[in-house]
């Protein structure tokens, strides 16, 4: 009788537990507010579903890409993961990720802000649904800057008024030796990483002009500290020792609550009257080619990039979400930070997602360090970078 009762009790317990037809494992690298917002979205999904459950796993960003590359071929990776588009070409060429065109329809394609879906497209196939977009803008301390500059000439003039090098106070700070940050000036001068045929173009007159401008801003203007790191930018801004920084939405979570700040579009380049065009990073929800249940995984992708989820990510996580309809919400529309990043989106260029882009970063970083920290002439720094990238790309093609 005791054994029978125990069996019945166990059976009743099993019947009371939820039975899921599919568990979809999702990896992400979000932190702070974005992580809490994502957890809220997942919790809401899981509580409303009977057949599908999301299992969420946070992975440190620095190790994320390597873990994806190593885990998926061994069948130990996630079904879905959230990542930027810059490694998309590599993973697609290695058949680690699943193209989504089979499930996409025109209505869903039109639901995202351009060019976020374009950024997650490689070789005419879509490999991710956009969840967020990120690029740099001008972030300023409202106690030091009353009106943000509209041109780079105004930026320098205002920066000089704010700078007192002896007191370690500066007008402007950003990671100017970082090629990704430099992309705004390079593309504003008309330069690009590759031409239409995929040939590297790091030594064109437009790129050289942008390097000269960055060097002038770093040294001749006298408004910036030397050898700038991300830590220094944060420290100076939080201590009220720099009036303006160039940074992205991820920086907002690092700002001390006591600092009153605002965000403005990057100032127009006075030398040519053109707007800076920063690199666009589109974060997408990407499906593993080895996802256990691809139909269930795609349903999860649609939910994570839905209007409902986007509103949570925008309002709770302060994320610049990629879903178009989110910005029709009155609260989001009035948000002075999200609205500026939305306006900057139209003046951005997707970071190339081809496998060749991986070969650009190291030579381009060396080029930037020569120009900014070594004070090498722009032409002399650009030529070897162009030669090295061209050689690497040609070798990879062979």
């Amino acid at each position: 009788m005791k054994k029978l009762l125990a069996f019945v009790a166990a059976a009743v317990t099993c019947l009371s537990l939820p039975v899921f037809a599919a568990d979809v494992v999702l990896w992400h690298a979000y932190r702070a507010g974005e992580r809490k917002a994502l957890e809220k979205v997942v919790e809401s999904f899981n509580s409303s579903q009977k057949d599908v459950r999301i299992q969420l796993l946070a992975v440190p960003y620095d190790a994320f890409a390597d873990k994806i590359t190593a885990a998926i071929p061994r069948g130990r990776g996630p079904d879905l993961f959230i990542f930027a588009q810059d490694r998309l070409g590599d993973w697609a060429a290695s058949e680690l990720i699943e193209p989504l065109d089979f499930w996409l329809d025109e209505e869903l394609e039109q639901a995202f802000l351009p060019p976020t879906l374009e950024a997650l497209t490689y070789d005419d196939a879509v490999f991710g649904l956009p969840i967020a977009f990120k690029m740099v803008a001008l972030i300023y301390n409202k106690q030091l800057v009353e009106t943000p500059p509209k041109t780079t000439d105004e930026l320098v003039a205002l920066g000089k008024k704010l700078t007192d090098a002896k007191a370690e106070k500066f007008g402007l700070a950003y990671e100017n030796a970082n090629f990704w940050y430099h992309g705004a000036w390079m593309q504003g001068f008309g330069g690009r990483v590759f031409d239409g045929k995929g040939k590297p173009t790091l030594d064109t007159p437009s790129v050289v002009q942008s390097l000269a401008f960055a060097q002038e801003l770093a040294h001749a203007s006298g408004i910036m500290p030397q050898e700038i790191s991300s830590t220094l930018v944060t420290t100076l801004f939080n201590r009220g020792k720099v009036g303006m920084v160039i940074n992205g939405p991820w920086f907002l979570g690092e700002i001390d609550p006591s600092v009153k700040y605002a965000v403005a579009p990057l100032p127009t380049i006075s030398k040519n009257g053109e707007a800076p065009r920063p690199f666009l990073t589109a974060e997408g929800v990407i499906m593993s080619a080895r996802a256990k249940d691809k139909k269930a995984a795609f349903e999860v992708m649609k939910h994570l990039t839905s209007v409902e989820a986007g509103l949570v990510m925008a309002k709770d996580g302060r994320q610049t979400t990629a879903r178009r309809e989110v910005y029709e919400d009155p609260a989001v529309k009035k948000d002075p930070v999200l609205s500026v990043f939305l306006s900057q989106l139209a003046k951005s260029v997707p970071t190339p997602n081809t496998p060749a882009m991986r070969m650009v970063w190291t030579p381009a970083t060396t080029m930037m360090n020569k120009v900014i920290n070594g004070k090498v002439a722009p032409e002399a720094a650009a030529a070897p970078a162009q030669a090295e990238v061209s050689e690497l790309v040609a070798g990879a093609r062979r």
Side-chain angles (χ1 to χ4, degrees):
M1 180 61 69
K2 289 181 180 179
K3 289 181 179 180
L4 178 61
L5 290 173
F7 175 79
V8 171
V12 170
T13 300
C14 289
L15 289 172
S16 65
L17 291 174
V19 177
F20 297 97
D23 279 352
V24 177
V25 178
L26 172 67
W27 286 10
H28 72 96
Y30 286 155
R31 299 182 300 173
E34 283 186 318
R35 176 172 178 167
K36 291 180 180 178
L38 179 62
E39 289 171 348
K40 183 176 180 179
V41 169
V42 168
E43 183 181 351
S44 173
F45 178 86
N46 286 345
S47 63
S48 66
Q49 296 293 316
K50 294 182 179 180
D51 298 324
V52 182
R53 177 180 59 182
I54 303 172
Q55 291 186 6
L56 200 58
L57 178 65
V59 177
Y61 178 81
D62 291 343
F64 201 106
D66 290 339
K67 281 184 175 293
I68 288 293
T69 303
I72 288 179
R74 293 173 173 81
R76 298 177 180 176
D79 299 295
L80 301 174
F81 60 96
I82 298 172
F83 203 74
Q85 88 274 16
D86 58 314
R87 295 290 296 272
L88 203 72
D90 274 328
W91 290 328
S94 301
E95 298 184 345
L96 297 184
I97 56 178
E98 185 76 10
L100 305 178
D101 301 80
F102 175 78
W103 290 287
L104 280 175
D105 56 36
E106 185 176 355
E107 182 180 358
L108 186 58
E109 288 180 354
Q110 297 299 318
F112 302 105
L113 293 165
T116 57
L117 192 66
E118 172 195 338
L120 291 159
T121 301
Y122 174 73
D123 201 18
D124 296 326
V126 177
F127 283 92
L129 295 186
I131 192 170
F133 64 88
K134 293 172 182 178
M135 81 289 288
V136 297
L138 189 73
I139 302 171
Y140 61 96
N141 185 324
K142 294 172 67 175
Q143 293 172 307
L144 300 175
V145 176
E146 184 176 347
T147 304
K150 288 185 169 50
T151 68
T152 53
D153 282 351
E154 291 180 10
L155 175 76
V156 172
L158 176 59
K160 288 180 177 179
K161 293 179 181 179
L162 296 171
T163 298
D164 181 352
K166 291 182 180 179
E168 296 184 337
K169 293 182 179 180
F170 302 95
L172 176 69
Y174 73 98
E175 292 181 70
N176 55 349
N178 184 321
F179 182 64
W180 193 83
Y181 282 81
H182 178 69
W185 305 129
M186 179 185 73
Q187 290 159 165
F189 274 92
R192 294 293 185 270
V193 180
F194 302 104
D195 65 15
K197 296 180 179 180
K199 177 185 175 182
T201 54
L202 292 180
D203 63 347
T204 63
S206 297
V207 174
V208 170
Q209 287 173 8
S210 74
L211 293 173
F213 172 74
Q215 192 175 64
E216 180 182 334
L217 199 60
H219 301 293
S221 70
I223 66 172
M224 298 180 66
Q226 302 302 304
E227 297 187 12
I228 307 172
S229 66
S230 61
T231 301
L232 180 63
V233 173
T234 303
T235 300
L236 289 174
F237 197 75
N238 283 338
R239 292 180 178 176
K241 293 206 167 197
V242 64
M244 299 169 284
V245 300
I246 295 174
N247 224 315
W250 56 87
F251 179 72
L252 304 180
E254 300 174 10
I255 299 176
D256 189 282
S258 64
V259 178
K260 296 180 180 179
Y261 70 89
V263 183
L266 292 173
T268 300
I269 300 170
S270 297
K271 292 181 182 293
N272 64 4
E274 297 292 333
R277 300 182 69 84
F279 279 126
L280 165 68
T281 294
E283 289 179 344
V285 187
I286 301 169
M287 187 189 300
S288 164
R290 296 212 176 179
K292 295 181 292 295
D293 186 332
K294 293 177 181 178
K295 182 179 179 181
F298 189 72
E299 289 303 311
V300 171
M301 295 177 77
K302 288 199 298 183
H303 179 77
L304 294 173
T305 58
S306 66
V307 177
E308 175 190 352
L311 286 169
V312 174
M313 296 303 294
K315 293 179 179 181
D316 294 12
R318 309 293 294 131
Q319 186 184 73
T320 43
T321 60
R323 187 78 182 212
R324 189 193 303 267
E325 291 173 74
V326 169
Y327 297 90
E328 297 174 6
D329 179 85
V332 176
K333 189 180 294 186
K334 293 178 182 178
D335 189 298
V337 172
L338 297 180
S339 61
V340 169
F341 280 110
L342 178 62
S343 69
Q344 190 71 70
L345 175 64
K347 299 174 182 177
S348 63
V349 177
T351 306
N353 62 19
T354 64
M357 189 62 193
R358 288 189 65 194
M359 303 169 195
V360 171
W361 295 115
T362 298
T365 298
T366 301
M367 174 182 72
M368 294 305 304
N369 274 296
K370 287 179 178 178
V371 170
I372 301 300
N373 298 324
K375 301 182 183 179
V376 174
E379 297 89 341
Q386 169 69 11
E388 184 177 355
V389 173
S390 297
E391 183 178 351
L392 289 170
V393 171
R397 287 174 178 167
R398 285 198 295 270

